[in-house]
Amino acid sequence: MKRLVLALLLSTSTAAFAQTKVSKKAMKALVNESLAFSARQYKGMMTAVPDSLFPRSTNKDGSLMTAKYNWWTAGFYPGSCWYLFEATGDPAFRAEAEKRQQHLLANQFRTNTHDLGFLMYCSFGNDLRLTKDTAARRILLTSSTSLIKRYKPAIGAIRSWDHAGWKCPVIIDNMMNLEMLMWAAKESGDKNFATIAVNHANTTIKNHFRDDYSSYHVIDYDTATGQVLAKKTHQGHSDASAWSRGQAWGLYGYTMMYRETKDKAYLDQARHIADYMLNHPNMPADLIPYYDYDAPEIPNAIRDASAGAVMASALLELSRYVDKTESKRYWNAGADALVSLSGETYRAKEGANNHFILMHSTGSMPGNSEIDVPLSYADYYYLEALLRYKMWTGK
Ligand code: GLY
């Protein structure tokens, strides 16, 4: 099977984004084979990670980097196990997800982080979706109640970090935490959750984006007046540059907000962000972005496969909300990014890469942290995109 997929893909190494060269048959084989590979790879992961910890990345010495329950990425591993349970029906993945997410429980009461969506909705949210578990529902409502305590009415946004050096920072990544709030509003009937999510999304449109629809990473606000104090980067090349994962978070966030509200302003925002990425002269032919669209080292800059995976998953969804011509362009771009991620450049060899699925992601270039490594969230959004492809093609 693996050989067949490789043969079918041989002609696709120079994928052009609006014009996928992969036949539907080849794509179906690729997606199925990639899910089967991922399941085998994560079976290895299960035994490699100490019980109360979560796989995070690879250390500089090549060993597995783990995270504690409160690190922002801890929810992605149980989330990936839920996706693999969904893909394979193998109860070992459900058992692993349930076991690991027990260690996340203390997060539901935290008010010192904005990452509760990543932490809890990617884990317990998938649990609820797949099993209808009532405990997961309760945990997610508690997490949502904790998250909105960070809402700043004068700004109209949820505060991101509590780090020293900022007054009230809001990062583009925070768009990803709104999905849990939209769910909580529907589930509880309390509209306040949705009002806060909508206000945050609107404030972010107003202040995070430039005229070309690229986004700043961090906006620092005056907490009392809501005034913008500074527009900065933290993980991108410079304050004026377009950090790739930030662009992907924005694309995903506004696509999701359109799904949840049907407000056309969010659809337009997502389309503009997608067009910014796909028309960018620095977008590589394989559709896996450099870590920053303005990285001075381009074409030799480091890539960020996690940005490629988040973008692929978001483009597949966005393609469902637009007209036929645009739909084809976004769908094919998402599929082509998936083809790239599933090829030998980005996908690990079986048993290698500390059992992560994807290689070549970048956490923070300016922080000299997690550069050109596997990252748990790259795997999570890759699995999500594979499943979305399968679900929306009926295959
Ligand atoms: N939310 C942090 C990151 O994307 O690196």
Side-chain angles (χ1 to χ4, degrees), residues 175-180 182 251-261 266 270 317 321 388:
M175 284 299 301
M176 298 297 286
N177 293 306
L178 305 183
E179 190 169 2
M180 182 171 73
M182 295 307 294
L251 173 66
Y252 193 114
Y254 284 103
T255 304
M256 175 278 297
M257 283 303 285
Y258 175 70
R259 181 217 307 146
E260 296 300 325
T261 62
Y266 299 144
E317 179 170 14
Y321 306 140
R388 284 179 164 188

Side-chain angles (χ1 to χ4, degrees), residues 72 118 173 235 243 245 249 377:
W72 76 275
F118 282 131
D173 324 29
Q235 284 155 264
W243 174 51
R245 197 162 54 257
W249 293 142
Y377 44 98

Side-chain angles (χ1 to χ4, degrees), residues 150-159 161 166-170 220-229:
R150 297 182 69 77
Y151 181 67
K152 304 293 170 202
I155 300 170
I158 296 165
R159 181 183 180 126
W161 307 316
W166 304 95
K167 288 279 193 301
C168 186
V170 178
D220 200 13
Y221 291 96
D222 183 306
T223 320
T225 65
Q227 224 191 325
V228 172
L229 300 175

Side-chain angles (χ1 to χ4, degrees), residues 242-249 251 273-274 276-278 280-295 298-313 315 333-334 336-338 340-341 346 358-363 372 378:
W243 174 51
S244 297
R245 197 162 54 257
Q247 313 312 302
W249 293 142
L251 173 66
I273 301 168
Y276 171 83
M277 292 166 156
L278 297 178
H280 203 290
N282 289 340
M283 173 62 96
D286 69 1
L287 290 177
I288 307 305
Y290 299 106
Y291 81 92
D292 193 301
Y293 287 89
D294 302 300
I298 290 173
N300 299 316
I302 298 286
R303 301 294 184 95
D304 181 10
S306 75
V310 174
M311 179 190 81
S313 188
L315 285 172
D336 281 346
L338 268 185
S340 299
L341 292 171
Y346 296 98
L358 298 179
M359 307 181 284
H360 303 309
S361 289
T362 296
D372 199 14

